[in-house]
Amino acid sequence: MIRKLSTFYVQLYKIVDDPSSDQIISWSKSSPNTFVVWDLKKLRRDILMKPSGLLLGRNLTEFIAKLRSHGFRSVLKGFGELEFEHDDFTRGFVTKKKKMVKAFSEKFDAQIKAIKCSFKAKKASLKQSLPTPTNLINNIIQEFVNIKVESKVYVRI
């Protein structure tokens, strides 16, 4: 199972899904979980040798080794063609993953927004319940005056 959408899967998906590379590599017509390498020489020359293809491997042997290390299985095909299968590498897979991430992100953003509103409301209610510094000083002075008046001792001169 593909747990993490690594750069290898994304890069491979882009190449397989790109209609301009269909003569070299494309989705299989027999299964949505397989892709076919139609032309090994062009794959090496036109895709793997480009800087954007370096994540896939520098040569055909490395490309196949990376596919196997990422859980792809070889499917027997005709001479000069290779077909690879992976249960979780499916046509439309990256689009589905992106939609799931976007939905999760939107839900998370909504939760953050709700928490911020809740904090603002609590902050406003605390602000109203706490005395201002001026009121606090006035209360202290008033209390001091009350104490002084109550404890006033008459002194004769």
Side-chain angles (χ1 to χ4, degrees):
M1 177 177 200
I2 298 174
R3 296 185 194 277
K4 181 177 136 186
L5 200 56
S6 75
T7 52
F8 177 81
Y9 290 110
V10 173
Q11 185 68 27
L12 179 62
Y13 185 90
K14 285 178 183 177
I15 292 169
V16 173
D17 206 48
D18 183 3
S20 69
S21 67
D22 280 355
Q23 291 181 354
I24 302 169
I25 186 170
S26 68
W27 291 107
S28 170
K29 292 182 180 16
S30 62
S31 170
N33 294 34
T34 60
F35 67 92
V36 179
V37 178
W38 302 104
D39 192 328
L40 298 174
K41 287 181 183 178
K42 285 185 180 179
L43 175 74
R44 188 181 65 74
R45 184 187 71 216
D46 298 344
I47 295 175
L48 297 179
M49 296 304 281
K50 287 185 178 179
S52 60
L54 288 178
L55 286 171
L56 302 176
R58 289 173 288 202
N59 56 46
L60 194 58
T61 306
E62 196 174 310
F63 174 64
I64 292 170
K66 280 192 172 191
L67 286 171
R68 289 194 175 129
S69 73
H70 283 83
F72 286 86
R73 296 175 298 281
S74 298
V75 178
L76 291 177
K77 202 69 178 152
F79 179 74
E81 298 171 4
L82 293 173
E83 188 167 347
F84 295 94
E85 176 182 46
H86 193 297
D87 294 336
D88 295 322
F89 190 77
T90 309
R91 203 174 300 146
F93 168 79
V94 170
T95 308
K96 288 177 193 173
K97 274 280 199 189
K98 284 181 180 176
K99 285 181 182 175
M100 287 172 23
V101 168
K102 185 178 179 186
F104 177 77
S105 177
E106 287 172 354
K107 183 178 178 182
F108 186 72
D109 289 346
Q111 289 175 341
I112 296 262
K113 191 175 182 179
I115 290 170
K116 282 182 178 178
C117 288
S118 173
F119 280 138
K120 281 183 181 178
K122 286 184 180 183
K123 183 179 175 183
S125 70
L126 282 173
K127 218 174 190 180
Q128 289 175 349
S129 65
L130 292 174
T132 63
T134 307
N135 289 344
L136 191 58
I137 291 171
N138 289 340
N139 289 343
I140 292 171
I141 291 171
Q142 187 60 45
E143 191 65 31
F144 181 72
V145 168
N146 290 343
I147 292 171
K148 192 163 184 161
V149 167
E150 289 174 6
S151 65
K152 194 172 193 181
V153 177
Y154 294 101
V155 178
R156 288 181 144 172
I157 304 181

